[in-house]
């Protein structure tokens, strides 16, 4: 099969790999669509320590079942259309046994630690597969994975009707978080330097937009979410909280990044700071939200490129053009 291969950091090719076979409890999919995530850029640059090389990346995906292992659970059949939770938890470490598999001591994920879906075919555990409605396209279904991360994030920070939320970062994740928070009754103010993305945020219902937190003046919020991972943005979001506020650090910062937050203010104003790591029992809920129309992803799906253009797709993602860049292997000649 054809696949995008990161041979080593900085070296990316589109070439041939052996066709995958299903594990006894697994399936093989013909990939319909796979989204590019910031994690894929980190893997390409050698900045994601769990990833081995060479590796076929790609963890936001959906496709058609073309092979089923003899002991695969769930009654999946050849021809079923599915979206896939890429999480690979060990099930036996202290975190898994406590119901916190996203913190698994032996954490893995399809496309991050084993070959993923920037390929014509990909193997996956059957239990990770979710059938999708007939009217849902593969491009839409590939957005379930980032939406499931956003669902977990909203569960971590909490939302109450009428609350004012500040969101910093209007990329794919920010725009998904915005819709979830609004669905919970929050009024969302979005900050981003990209005016095209701010227009999307406004179209999706943001009560206000700005290109810098400083432009909001003295306005204060019950809660804030940083979706950038940039220390100055995290500090600005923290500074915009009212007393008793909550800060969700959702964006992925560099491992050695540091922020300057006042511990006195955290104490005196009873500020809560929480993080959110990937997916945790949120994939099914994300699929339901998308299928019901409560969350819209079509305004976010800006680019679809064939598999052969994977290096160009990465460059497009780096440039900040559009919002969600996806690869659709079935469109290759």
């Amino acid at each position: 099969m054809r696949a995008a291969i990161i041979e080593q950091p900085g070296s990316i090719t589109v070439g041939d790999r052996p066709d995958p076979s299903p594990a006894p409890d697994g399936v093989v999919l013909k990939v319909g669509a796979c989204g590019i995530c910031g994690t894929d850029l980190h893997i390409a640059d050698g900045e994601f320590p769990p990833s081995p090389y060479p590796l076929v990346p790609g963890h936001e995906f959906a496709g058609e079942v073309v092979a089923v292992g003899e002991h695969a659970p769930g009654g999946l059949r050849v021809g079923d259309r599915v979206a896939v939770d890429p999480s690979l938890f060990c099930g036996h470490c202290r975190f898994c046994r406590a119901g916190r598999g996203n913190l698994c001591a032996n954490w893995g994920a399809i496309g991050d630690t084993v070959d993923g879906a920037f390929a014509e075919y990909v193997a996956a555990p059957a239990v990770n597969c979710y059938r999708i409605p007939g009217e849902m396209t593969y491009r839409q279904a590939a957005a379930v994975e980032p939406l499931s991360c956003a669902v977990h994030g909203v569960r971590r920070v909490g939302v109450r009707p009428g609350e004012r939320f500040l969101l910093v970062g209007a990329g794919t994740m920010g725009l998904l978080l915005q819709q979830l928070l609004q669905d919970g009754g929050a009024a969302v103010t979005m900050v981003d330097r990209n005016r095209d993305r701010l227009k999307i945020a406004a179209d999706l219902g943001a009560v206000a937009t700005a290109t810098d937190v400083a432009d909001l003046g003295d306005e204060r919020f019950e809660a804030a979410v940083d979706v950038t991972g940039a220390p100055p943005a995290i500090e600005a979001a923290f500074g915009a909280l009212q007393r008793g506020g909550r800060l969700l650090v959702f964006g992925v910062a560099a491992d050695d990044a540091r922020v300057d937050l006042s511990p006195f203010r955290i104490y005196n104003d009873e500020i809560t700071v929480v993080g959110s790591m990937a997916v945790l029992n949120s994939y099914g809920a994300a699929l339901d939200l998308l299928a019901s129309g409560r969350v819209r992803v079509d305004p976010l799906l800006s680019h679809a490129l064939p598999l052969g253009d994977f290096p160009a797709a990465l460059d497009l993602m780096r440039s900040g053009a559009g919002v969600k860049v996806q690869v659709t292997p079935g469109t290759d000649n």
Side-chain angles (χ1 to χ4, degrees):
M1 69 172 183
R2 298 281 287 169
I5 308 161
I6 301 176
E7 301 284 356
Q8 59 185 2
S11 176
I12 302 167
T13 61
V14 178
D16 294 325
R17 295 278 272 192
D19 288 353
S21 299
D25 60 351
V27 299
V28 171
L29 307 183
K30 181 179 181 181
V31 179
C34 185
I36 295 181
C37 167
T39 301
D40 297 310
L41 299 182
H42 290 303
I43 294 171
D45 295 340
E47 298 171 349
F48 194 70
S51 293
Y53 300 94
L55 179 73
V56 176
H59 60 272
E60 302 178 359
F61 65 98
E64 177 186 351
V65 176
V66 294
V68 181
E70 59 180 335
H71 300 302
L76 287 175
R77 297 180 179 181
V78 170
D80 283 348
R81 302 169 69 250
V82 299
V84 181
D85 180 348
S87 306
L88 301 174
F89 305 150
C90 74
H92 58 76
C93 72
R94 61 181 298 184
F95 299 105
C96 285
R97 290 184 175 184
R100 306 193 70 180
N102 63 323
L103 305 182
C104 175
N106 305 292
W107 182 89
I110 299 168
D112 293 343
T113 59
V114 300
D115 281 351
F118 288 124
E120 293 177 307
Y121 300 96
V122 63
V127 295
N128 291 45
C129 298
Y130 292 72
R131 292 183 180 87
I132 61 175
E135 66 275 11
M136 186 178 290
T137 68
Y138 286 135
R139 291 192 66 199
Q140 292 169 335
V144 175
E145 194 278 340
L147 180 56
S148 68
C149 294
V151 169
H152 177 56
V154 169
R155 289 173 177 172
R156 289 281 293 157
V157 72
V159 59
R160 305 177 185 92
E163 284 191 315
R164 295 164 299 164
F165 262 79
L166 171 65
L167 268 174
V168 183
T172 299
M173 299 311 307
L175 295 167
L176 292 173
L177 284 161
Q178 174 191 338
Q179 294 181 71
L180 292 174
L181 293 168
Q182 291 171 174
D183 188 67
V188 175
T189 294
M190 180 69 81
V191 173
D192 196 285
R193 294 176 180 174
N194 186 317
R195 294 184 183 276
D196 291 335
R197 293 181 176 183
L198 288 180
K199 183 179 184 305
I200 297 173
D203 291 343
L204 289 172
V207 297
T209 62
T211 56
D212 194 298
V213 174
D215 295 339
L216 302 174
D218 294 331
E219 187 173 1
R220 294 294 178 262
F221 300 85
E222 281 91 348
V225 183
D226 174 71
V227 200
T228 70
I234 296 170
E235 293 166 0
F238 179 83
L241 291 172
Q242 69 176 28
R243 299 193 75 188
R246 310 185 306 281
L247 173 65
L248 172 63
V249 180
F250 188 92
V252 180
D255 180 62
D256 59 353
R258 298 293 182 268
V259 294
D260 183 6
L261 305 181
S262 165
F264 177 80
R265 186 166 180 235
I266 292 172
Y267 144 76
N268 192 60
D269 290 355
E270 293 194 345
I271 303 294
T272 301
V273 181
V274 297
S276 179
M277 162 60 181
V279 182
L280 182 63
N281 303 323
S282 51
Y283 201 91
L287 178 57
D288 290 343
L289 285 161
L290 184 56
S292 69
R294 290 167 62 188
V295 172
R296 297 166 52 205
V297 296
D298 285 352
L300 284 56
L301 304 182
S302 56
H303 296 82
L305 282 74
L307 180 61
D309 289 346
F310 178 73
L314 282 183
D315 291 340
L316 194 61
M317 176 76 175
R318 291 184 195 278
S319 75
V323 182
K324 174 52 69 176
V325 179
Q326 295 177 316
V327 169
T328 52
T331 63
D332 280 33
N333 293 326

